[in-house]
Amino acid sequence: MKKIIWATWMLVTLSIAGYYGYILFKADNKQALLIGETSHGHFQIELACSSCHTEAFGGPELIQEACVGCHGAELTEANDTHPKKKFTDPRNADRLSVVDARYCVSCHTEHRKEITAPVGVTLPEDYCFHCHTDVGGDRESHRDLAFDSCASAGCHNYHDNRALFEDFLVHNHAGPWLKEIARLTNPNGAAILASKRVPEQQPTFPEQKAAHPDIHQEWSGSSHADAGVDCGGCHSDVSSGEWLENPGIAQCQTCHIHEAESYKSGKHGMRLAQSLPAIRPADSKMPFKETALSLQQGCNSCHSAHRTDTLFAASEACLTCHNDDHSRGFDSSPHGQLLTQAIAGAIPVEQAVSCATCHMPRAENIIDQETVVQVNHNQNHNLRPNEKMIRPVCMQCHSLGFSIDALADPALIRNNFNGKPANHIPSIDWSLKRVAD
Ligand code: HEC
Ligand code: HEC
Ligand code: HEC
Ligand code: HEC
Ligand code: HEC
Ligand code: HEC
Ligand code: HEC
Ligand code: HEC
Ligand code: HEC
Ligand code: HEC
């Protein structure tokens, strides 16, 4: 059976290579040229063919460059366990006979829905086996494991093992499931005092202030007003200086470069990076609220124009659109109840968890030699594999073992972490035993 799966996989992979190349760039109706449905990660930009096919007949090196151009920094940051350089080492050359791991497309090809698994992986599940046949012999604990279990059960990932490597497991094995001091260093809703660039000369548009007293009042209480960002900071046309009725991301990003860049590298903003119109819920297959289907993503999807209420942005805003079980489960989960209490002022915000705590965590960046807290606006940055959340998010409040178990439990993800994990992942126990032996 295994042989047949692998043979089919190789046939499919080989048979798509090579032909069509040039019509790719000539045709007007690109949709018609798509040779198959594009993966969950890329369907939004599938009509920007040249973002991956940078040249017709480009061959594998050029596609590789495109993949690395968009994902290279992320993989480096993830301390990739299997970087290309491991496989250009002649000692490992024999391992490439079945999966040529030097090339991304060996494991992530495109337009092949029938062989595409979650996270855009296009290999049969037992692929780890082809390079690590000896692990069962080397390690007592691994002797009877199925070879499709290495990466499917919270034990290992192919690229990102920052929260899963042996020393880390051993070092962090102890502690109760909920830390005695369970609080965030950089909580949602707390004021962010960063040095943003504010142009010295901004039109103040007094006639607009007079015509819209309600807006004037709302703006007066915002951190924009506090920081000296007047109406003209957003409402003046870059070239003419005239009143601009509907400012968009172009205006926001004159001051908020980091937020705009990270926004454009995740699924909310990725189309903008390809000069395509931003995504609307109607363009997606995920469940969204009926009332949100035609709302186009943009900075104001979560931030209202004249109020800068970041706690609203951190969860209520998300629920104007998202409508899957997980999102709907949040409000009644223990985390959601902490947030309700924080909004009511009953507990400090650093003890609460919002959608943004997990999906858009605050991070410290160094800008002009100054440490600045910023929000990563790429909500896919730590989404998959979800062990990416363990170190920056969960471990601020929970033990490593509890976090691993919770994130490996699909039922808990569905109900947004309402209850204890059903299963235990034994990797910490095995690591401790190996160290003791
Ligand atoms: C997100 C990246 C991406 C986008 C966008 C994309 N493709 Fe592809 N495409 C690929 C990958 C990866 C392969 C497989 C290459 C391989 O396996 O060597 C591929 C293969 C193909 C092939 C088979 C021939 C070949 O070069 O291997 C055709 C034809 C093709 N794509 C057409 C299109 C067209 C037309 C568009 C735009 C409508 C498009 N693609 C958009 C990534 C992309
Ligand atoms: C123009 C930029 C761009 C290019 C080129 C590109 N990607 Fe992506 N890719 C993205 C974005 C944006 C996402 C969605 C956000 C995310 O998951 O990080 C994504 C998602 C993914 C995912 C995760 C899918 C998921 O469901 O979680 C994988 C795997 C991936 N890309 C691999 C590749 C490979 C391999 C190539 C080269 C064939 C490639 N990408 C080319 C931008 C790009
Ligand atoms: C031998 C197979 C293999 C190769 C080669 C490979 N990947 Fe992956 N990739 C995976 C698997 C499996 C996953 C699923 C998550 C995991 O196990 O790490 C994944 C996940 C990803 C993700 C999702 C997010 C993440 O950080 O895990 C991205 C992005 C990605 N790969 C990009 C690339 C790029 C770019 C290349 C080429 C430089 C590449 N991959 C080469 C197997 C591979
Ligand atoms: C194409 C061959 C290949 C595939 C497929 C492959 N690996 Fe590896 N792996 C290697 C090589 C080469 C090394 C580095 C040398 C070594 O440690 O054996 C390595 C190292 C590792 C390490 C040790 C990393 C370290 O820094 O100590 C782990 C863990 C690992 N692989 C797990 C996996 C898992 C899990 C999978 C499947 C998701 C997988 N590998 C798939 C070739 C591969
Ligand atoms: C999906 C919802 C969402 C979208 C879309 C969004 N933001 Fe945010 N934004 C948030 C959340 C959530 C926070 C953090 C709230 C907190 O931690 O209190 C935030 C915080 C911020 C902050 C303050 C923190 C910092 O990093 O300095 C700025 C500035 C900001 N966003 C600008 C933007 C800009 C500019 C855009 C458009 C490119 C944008 N946002 C799009 C949700 C969003
Ligand atoms: C941080 C940027 C920003 C600042 C500062 C700002 N606005 Fe706006 N304003 C917007 C955005 C974005 C929209 C578009 C909202 C939409 O399309 O829903 C808007 C829309 C408007 C509109 C038209 C739509 C409506 O709601 O009636 C008026 C009028 C307006 N603003 C007046 C003002 C005045 C007066 C000031 C100064 C007191 C001001 N704005 C300051 C971003 C800003
Ligand atoms: C002229 C420069 C400028 C423009 C244009 C601008 N901002 Fe700001 N923004 C600032 C400054 C300065 C702050 C104050 C942050 C601080 O003190 O660290 C700020 C703060 C914020 C905050 C955080 C509020 C808080 O309480 O933490 C959000 C959210 C935000 N801006 C969103 C936007 C959005 C969305 C747009 C576009 C509609 C926009 N900004 C346009 C300069 C600007
Ligand atoms: C205007 C509607 C809207 C709002 C508001 C919104 N989103 Fe989204 N979200 C989308 C759309 C559309 C997608 C892309 C779906 C796709 O690619 O199929 C998306 C994608 C996502 C994804 C990636 C899903 C995946 O499988 O890759 C996450 C996570 C997410 N949103 C979280 C949030 C969070 C957290 C907030 C609030 C801070 C939020 N969203 C606010 C519309 C919205
Ligand atoms: C405690 C952390 C946590 C909180 C709080 C949280 N999420 Fe998630 N979210 C996750 C994890 C983990 C996943 C699953 C990632 C995976 O394994 O695919 C996920 C997945 C998602 C997805 C993708 C679902 C899919 O089918 O691809 C969306 C959309 C999303 N969350 C939105 C939200 C929204 C909206 C909120 C708040 C109402 C929220 N999340 C609160 C951790 C969290
Ligand atoms: C700011 C601290 C904080 C962060 C960050 C945090 N949690 Fe929690 N979590 C808590 C608190 C406090 C409780 C218990 C609430 C209660 O008992 O009412 C809890 C409860 C839970 C529960 C439910 C337990 C039960 O008995 O119902 C799960 C599961 C969980 N967290 C998983 C996670 C995961 C996974 C992450 C990371 C993606 C995470 N948490 C991030 C503080 C946090």
Side-chain angles (χ1 to χ4, degrees):
M1 184 60 193
K2 220 174 242 171
K3 280 217 173 94
I4 299 176
I5 298 177
W6 275 91
T8 321
W9 169 73
M10 288 192 51
L11 199 74
V12 167
T13 308
L14 290 175
S15 66
I16 61 166
Y19 68 118
Y20 270 113
Y22 108 118
I23 28 176
L24 202 66
F25 293 86
K26 295 246 153 154
D28 291 330
N29 183 359
K30 296 203 163 91
Q31 183 86 52
L33 285 178
L34 267 178
I35 54 169
E37 205 173 297
T38 314
S39 65
H40 174 76
H42 294 138
F43 81 92
Q44 290 194 29
I45 54 166
E46 67 184 7
L47 295 185
C49 313
S50 58
S51 56
C52 296
H53 302 284
T54 50
E55 265 174 47
F57 300 115
E61 293 296 346
L62 281 183
I63 289 220
Q64 180 85 1
E65 266 175 38
C67 310
V68 173
C70 289
H71 294 290
E74 216 168 72
L75 291 178
T76 307
E77 185 197 323
N79 201 4
D80 192 355
T81 305
H82 297 91
K84 186 176 178 182
K85 63 175 186 294
K86 263 195 186 161
F87 299 101
T88 47
D89 181 338
R91 281 168 302 175
N92 291 324
D94 57 321
R95 309 214 204 185
L96 303 177
S97 58
V98 180
V99 181
D100 188 348
R102 291 172 304 167
Y103 293 103
C104 316
V105 293
S106 303
C107 304
H108 304 283
T109 190
E110 260 306 345
H111 320 302
R112 314 294 312 183
K113 183 172 194 287
E114 65 287 3
I115 57 162
T116 307
V119 205
V121 178
T122 51
L123 281 174
E125 271 186 358
D126 61 345
Y127 64 93
C128 309
F129 170 77
H130 290 277
C131 296
H132 294 293
T133 33
D134 40 4
V135 74
D138 290 351
R139 292 183 184 232
E140 176 70 30
S141 56
H142 285 51
R143 186 156 298 153
D144 301 318
L145 298 179
F147 270 107
D148 56 5
S149 72
C150 322
S152 60
C155 296
H156 301 289
N157 289 319
Y158 183 77
H159 297 296
D160 185 346
N161 288 293
R162 279 174 292 179
L164 303 172
F165 65 92
E166 205 158 13
D167 289 351
F168 189 75
L169 298 176
V170 170
H171 190 75
N172 292 285
H173 73 276
W177 73 279
L178 184 62
K179 293 189 175 168
E180 215 167 298
I181 301 176
R183 48 173 66 216
L184 299 162
T185 325
N186 292 305
N188 306 120
I192 288 191
L193 291 173
S195 43
K196 306 274 163 32
R197 289 189 302 147
V198 182
E200 277 164 25
Q201 293 282 317
Q202 295 172 61
T204 54
F205 297 114
E207 67 294 351
Q208 292 288 345
K209 285 191 179 120
H212 302 280
D214 47 336
I215 292 182
H216 185 196
Q217 201 195 354
E218 216 177 7
W219 165 83
S220 303
S222 74
S223 26
H224 281 133
D226 290 348
V229 180
D230 215 306
C231 314
C234 295
H235 282 285
S236 56
D237 188 272
V238 187
S239 45
S240 66
E242 301 276 294
W243 175 259
L244 181 79
E245 182 80 5
N246 277 315
I249 185 171
Q251 278 66 44
C252 310
Q253 75 180 6
T254 57
C255 299
H256 300 299
I257 302 161
H258 168 82
E259 290 76 10
E261 288 303 315
S262 54
Y263 175 73
K264 286 188 214 164
S265 46
K267 292 194 115 195
H268 286 148
M270 67 190 282
R271 289 169 59 101
L272 297 174
Q274 302 306 323
S275 310
L276 297 167
I279 187 105
R280 300 165 308 148
D283 306 322
S284 165
K285 289 191 179 136
M286 284 171 47
F288 285 102
K289 299 238 161 81
E290 220 34 71
T291 46
L293 291 178
S294 60
L295 298 178
Q296 199 148 37
Q297 257 292 339
C299 305
N300 294 113
S301 300
C302 305
H303 302 294
S304 64
H306 305 110
R307 247 182 336 130
T308 41
D309 179 351
T310 47
L311 261 187
F312 171 83
S315 89
E316 248 181 287
C318 320
L319 294 170
T320 57
C321 292
H322 287 280
N323 196 28
D324 48 279
D325 292 346
H326 166 86
S327 301
R328 281 199 312 267
F330 175 72
D331 281 343
S332 56
S333 73
H335 292 149
Q337 282 164 9
L338 292 170
L339 185 65
T340 310
Q341 287 174 271
I343 291 172
I347 57 167
V349 283
E350 50 269 40
Q351 289 176 21
V353 176
S354 68
C355 312
T357 309
C358 297
H359 292 294
M360 299 173 65
R362 293 179 167 204
E364 286 177 3
N365 296 323
I366 295 177
I367 294 174
D368 297 337
Q369 288 145 16
E370 210 188 319
T371 306
V372 170
V373 174
Q374 288 174 316
V375 173
N376 189 336
H377 278 66
N378 175 356
Q379 75 298 328
N380 282 80
H381 186 69
N382 65 4
L383 186 66
R384 279 183 290 263
N386 65 31
E387 290 88 358
K388 283 177 190 286
M389 283 183 197
I390 292 176
R391 288 178 69 157
V393 185
C394 316
M395 280 181 74
Q396 296 197 49
C397 303
H398 297 291
S399 68
L400 173 61
F402 176 79
S403 308
I404 291 177
D405 292 351
L407 288 168
D409 184 340
L412 278 187
I413 290 176
R414 212 173 309 119
N415 71 16
N416 218 316
F417 306 100
N418 200 346
K420 292 286 194 300
N423 292 309
H424 174 58
I425 307 297
S427 42
I428 292 184
D429 318 337
W430 290 347
S431 301
L432 287 173
K433 184 158 185 299
R434 212 165 105 93
V435 172
D437 283 349

mmCIF file of all heavy atoms in Angstrom, residues 81-82 86-87 92 95 99 101 127-128 131-132 150-151 156-158, ligand 4:
data_model
loop_
_atom_site.group_PDB
_atom_site.id
_atom_site.type_symbol
_atom_site.label_atom_id
_atom_site.label_comp_id
_atom_site.label_asym_id
_atom_site.label_seq_id
_atom_site.Cartn_x
_atom_site.Cartn_y
_atom_site.Cartn_z
ATOM 1 N N THR A 81 14.552 23.445 11.500
ATOM 2 C CA THR A 81 15.274 22.202 11.797
ATOM 3 C C THR A 81 15.882 21.564 10.538
ATOM 4 O O THR A 81 16.871 20.845 10.616
ATOM 5 C CB THR A 81 14.300 21.183 12.454
ATOM 6 O OG1 THR A 81 13.709 21.795 13.595
ATOM 7 C CG2 THR A 81 15.010 19.917 12.879
ATOM 8 N N HIS A 82 15.252 21.805 9.381
ATOM 9 C CA HIS A 82 15.740 21.195 8.139
ATOM 10 C C HIS A 82 16.014 22.241 7.061
ATOM 11 O O HIS A 82 15.395 22.232 6.002
ATOM 12 C CB HIS A 82 14.727 20.183 7.594
ATOM 13 C CG HIS A 82 14.474 19.019 8.496
ATOM 14 N ND1 HIS A 82 13.486 19.009 9.448
ATOM 15 C CD2 HIS A 82 15.091 17.805 8.586
ATOM 16 C CE1 HIS A 82 13.489 17.841 10.086
ATOM 17 N NE2 HIS A 82 14.451 17.093 9.588
ATOM 18 N N LYS A 86 21.430 21.776 5.238
ATOM 19 C CA LYS A 86 21.644 20.428 5.780
ATOM 20 C C LYS A 86 21.711 19.398 4.653
ATOM 21 O O LYS A 86 22.289 18.338 4.808
ATOM 22 C CB LYS A 86 20.499 20.039 6.721
ATOM 23 C CG LYS A 86 20.820 20.277 8.176
ATOM 24 C CD LYS A 86 19.873 19.573 9.134
ATOM 25 C CE LYS A 86 20.212 20.011 10.540
ATOM 26 N NZ LYS A 86 19.139 19.780 11.500
ATOM 27 N N PHE A 87 21.066 19.712 3.551
ATOM 28 C CA PHE A 87 20.970 18.717 2.475
ATOM 29 C C PHE A 87 21.976 18.941 1.369
ATOM 30 O O PHE A 87 22.134 18.111 0.493
ATOM 31 C CB PHE A 87 19.541 18.693 1.923
ATOM 32 C CG PHE A 87 18.546 18.318 2.986
ATOM 33 C CD1 PHE A 87 17.777 19.291 3.606
ATOM 34 C CD2 PHE A 87 18.422 17.008 3.395
ATOM 35 C CE1 PHE A 87 16.884 18.947 4.599
ATOM 36 C CE2 PHE A 87 17.536 16.657 4.408
ATOM 37 C CZ PHE A 87 16.760 17.634 5.017
ATOM 38 N N ASN A 92 24.734 13.959 3.628
ATOM 39 C CA ASN A 92 23.306 13.681 3.663
ATOM 40 C C ASN A 92 22.691 13.465 2.277
ATOM 41 O O ASN A 92 21.483 13.343 2.137
ATOM 42 C CB ASN A 92 22.559 14.833 4.353
ATOM 43 C CG ASN A 92 22.880 14.871 5.842
ATOM 44 O OD1 ASN A 92 23.039 13.831 6.468
ATOM 45 N ND2 ASN A 92 22.995 16.067 6.391
ATOM 46 N N ARG A 95 20.077 10.858 1.380
ATOM 47 C CA ARG A 95 18.708 10.970 1.886
ATOM 48 C C ARG A 95 17.771 11.652 0.900
ATOM 49 O O ARG A 95 16.587 11.765 1.153
ATOM 50 C CB ARG A 95 18.697 11.781 3.174
ATOM 51 C CG ARG A 95 19.685 11.291 4.200
ATOM 52 C CD ARG A 95 19.112 11.488 5.566
ATOM 53 N NE ARG A 95 20.172 11.568 6.563
ATOM 54 C CZ ARG A 95 19.947 11.654 7.859
ATOM 55 N NH1 ARG A 95 18.716 11.703 8.302
ATOM 56 N NH2 ARG A 95 20.941 11.713 8.707
ATOM 57 N N VAL A 99 12.812 12.117 -1.370
ATOM 58 C CA VAL A 99 12.312 13.483 -1.237
ATOM 59 C C VAL A 99 13.497 14.427 -1.382
ATOM 60 O O VAL A 99 14.392 14.422 -0.543
ATOM 61 C CB VAL A 99 11.696 13.720 0.167
ATOM 62 C CG1 VAL A 99 11.170 15.135 0.276
ATOM 63 C CG2 VAL A 99 10.602 12.709 0.447
ATOM 64 N N ALA A 101 14.796 17.277 -0.500
ATOM 65 C CA ALA A 101 14.442 18.287 0.501
ATOM 66 C C ALA A 101 15.166 19.613 0.308
ATOM 67 O O ALA A 101 14.962 20.542 1.072
ATOM 68 C CB ALA A 101 14.692 17.742 1.900
ATOM 69 N N TYR A 127 6.408 10.544 5.592
ATOM 70 C CA TYR A 127 7.652 10.930 4.930
ATOM 71 C C TYR A 127 8.850 11.038 5.868
ATOM 72 O O TYR A 127 9.978 10.872 5.452
ATOM 73 C CB TYR A 127 7.474 12.238 4.156
ATOM 74 C CG TYR A 127 7.167 13.401 5.048
ATOM 75 C CD1 TYR A 127 8.173 14.214 5.520
ATOM 76 C CD2 TYR A 127 5.855 13.658 5.447
ATOM 77 C CE1 TYR A 127 7.891 15.253 6.377
ATOM 78 C CE2 TYR A 127 5.563 14.692 6.298
ATOM 79 C CZ TYR A 127 6.590 15.484 6.768
ATOM 80 O OH TYR A 127 6.300 16.492 7.627
ATOM 81 N N CYS A 128 8.642 11.307 7.155
ATOM 82 C CA CYS A 128 9.792 11.424 8.067
ATOM 83 C C CYS A 128 10.620 10.140 8.029
ATOM 84 O O CYS A 128 11.845 10.159 8.122
ATOM 85 C CB CYS A 128 9.360 11.672 9.505
ATOM 86 S SG CYS A 128 8.215 13.022 9.736
ATOM 87 N N CYS A 131 13.918 9.381 5.891
ATOM 88 C CA CYS A 131 15.242 9.863 6.270
ATOM 89 C C CYS A 131 15.638 9.430 7.673
ATOM 90 O O CYS A 131 16.804 9.487 8.029
ATOM 91 C CB CYS A 131 15.298 11.372 6.157
ATOM 92 S SG CYS A 131 15.084 11.958 4.473
ATOM 93 N N HIS A 132 14.653 9.047 8.455
ATOM 94 C CA HIS A 132 14.976 8.724 9.855
ATOM 95 C C HIS A 132 14.604 7.284 10.207
ATOM 96 O O HIS A 132 14.035 7.018 11.254
ATOM 97 C CB HIS A 132 14.267 9.699 10.794
ATOM 98 C CG HIS A 132 14.742 11.111 10.669
ATOM 99 N ND1 HIS A 132 16.003 11.517 11.030
ATOM 100 C CD2 HIS A 132 14.127 12.231 10.197
ATOM 101 C CE1 HIS A 132 16.139 12.817 10.816
ATOM 102 N NE2 HIS A 132 15.016 13.273 10.304
ATOM 103 N N CYS A 150 5.067 10.973 13.780
ATOM 104 C CA CYS A 150 6.130 11.884 14.235
ATOM 105 C C CYS A 150 5.645 13.318 14.311
ATOM 106 O O CYS A 150 5.917 14.033 15.255
ATOM 107 C CB CYS A 150 7.329 11.878 13.291
ATOM 108 S SG CYS A 150 7.774 10.307 12.594
ATOM 109 N N ALA A 151 4.934 13.725 13.272
ATOM 110 C CA ALA A 151 4.615 15.145 13.154
ATOM 111 C C ALA A 151 3.136 15.419 13.362
ATOM 112 O O ALA A 151 2.698 16.557 13.252
ATOM 113 C CB ALA A 151 5.046 15.656 11.783
ATOM 114 N N HIS A 156 6.798 16.582 17.029
ATOM 115 C CA HIS A 156 7.807 17.257 16.204
ATOM 116 C C HIS A 156 7.144 18.011 15.075
ATOM 117 O O HIS A 156 6.089 17.623 14.589
ATOM 118 C CB HIS A 156 8.738 16.241 15.520
ATOM 119 C CG HIS A 156 9.490 15.352 16.452
ATOM 120 N ND1 HIS A 156 10.516 15.791 17.238
ATOM 121 C CD2 HIS A 156 9.361 14.025 16.712
ATOM 122 C CE1 HIS A 156 11.003 14.779 17.946
ATOM 123 N NE2 HIS A 156 10.311 13.689 17.652
ATOM 124 N N ASN A 157 7.833 19.048 14.605
ATOM 125 C CA ASN A 157 7.476 19.665 13.335
ATOM 126 C C ASN A 157 8.656 19.518 12.397
ATOM 127 O O ASN A 157 9.781 19.266 12.837
ATOM 128 C CB ASN A 157 7.155 21.150 13.522
ATOM 129 C CG ASN A 157 5.846 21.334 14.265
ATOM 130 O OD1 ASN A 157 4.882 20.632 14.014
ATOM 131 N ND2 ASN A 157 5.827 22.269 15.196
ATOM 132 N N TYR A 158 8.407 19.721 11.126
ATOM 133 C CA TYR A 158 9.506 19.644 10.179
ATOM 134 C C TYR A 158 10.383 20.890 10.278
ATOM 135 O O TYR A 158 11.599 20.790 10.323
ATOM 136 C CB TYR A 158 8.960 19.469 8.756
ATOM 137 C CG TYR A 158 10.053 19.319 7.727
ATOM 138 C CD1 TYR A 158 10.741 18.117 7.585
ATOM 139 C CD2 TYR A 158 10.422 20.390 6.915
ATOM 140 C CE1 TYR A 158 11.768 17.980 6.665
ATOM 141 C CE2 TYR A 158 11.445 20.263 5.982
ATOM 142 C CZ TYR A 158 12.115 19.061 5.862
ATOM 143 O OH TYR A 158 13.131 18.931 4.959
HETATM 144 C C1 HEC B 4 14.873 14.417 3.238
HETATM 145 C C2 HEC B 4 15.306 13.816 4.472
HETATM 146 C C3 HEC B 4 14.612 14.196 5.764
HETATM 147 C C4 HEC B 4 13.259 14.192 6.018
HETATM 148 C C5 HEC B 4 12.121 13.875 5.048
HETATM 149 C C6 HEC B 4 13.121 14.493 7.406
HETATM 150 N N1 HEC B 4 14.349 14.718 7.988
HETATM 151 FE FE1 HEC B 4 14.714 15.196 9.939
HETATM 152 N N2 HEC B 4 16.690 15.399 9.514
HETATM 153 C C7 HEC B 4 17.268 15.149 8.299
HETATM 154 C C8 HEC B 4 18.693 15.449 8.395
HETATM 155 C C9 HEC B 4 19.707 15.315 7.255
HETATM 156 C C10 HEC B 4 18.932 15.895 9.714
HETATM 157 C C11 HEC B 4 20.277 16.328 10.331
HETATM 158 C C12 HEC B 4 21.147 15.157 10.601
HETATM 159 C C13 HEC B 4 20.562 14.265 11.635
HETATM 160 O O1 HEC B 4 20.349 14.747 12.766
HETATM 161 O O2 HEC B 4 20.283 13.092 11.344
HETATM 162 C C14 HEC B 4 17.642 15.836 10.405
HETATM 163 C C15 HEC B 4 17.449 16.178 11.729
HETATM 164 C C16 HEC B 4 16.260 16.027 12.415
HETATM 165 C C17 HEC B 4 16.073 16.259 13.835
HETATM 166 C C18 HEC B 4 17.139 16.651 14.798
HETATM 167 C C19 HEC B 4 17.345 18.134 14.753
HETATM 168 C C20 HEC B 4 18.386 18.621 15.730
HETATM 169 O O3 HEC B 4 18.677 19.803 15.590
HETATM 170 O O4 HEC B 4 18.838 17.871 16.552
HETATM 171 C C21 HEC B 4 14.768 15.992 14.125
HETATM 172 C C22 HEC B 4 14.068 16.104 15.475
HETATM 173 C C23 HEC B 4 14.134 15.606 12.881
HETATM 174 N N3 HEC B 4 15.062 15.639 11.871
HETATM 175 C C24 HEC B 4 12.814 15.248 12.776
HETATM 176 C C25 HEC B 4 12.167 15.028 11.566
HETATM 177 C C26 HEC B 4 10.741 14.856 11.441
HETATM 178 C C27 HEC B 4 9.756 14.858 12.582
HETATM 179 C C28 HEC B 4 10.480 14.685 10.115
HETATM 180 C C29 HEC B 4 9.128 14.569 9.453
HETATM 181 C C30 HEC B 4 8.213 15.683 9.813
HETATM 182 C C31 HEC B 4 11.747 14.730 9.420
HETATM 183 N N4 HEC B 4 12.744 14.941 10.340
HETATM 184 C C32 HEC B 4 11.887 14.560 8.058
HETATM 185 C C33 HEC B 4 16.644 14.675 7.170
HETATM 186 C C34 HEC B 4 15.282 14.549 7.014
#
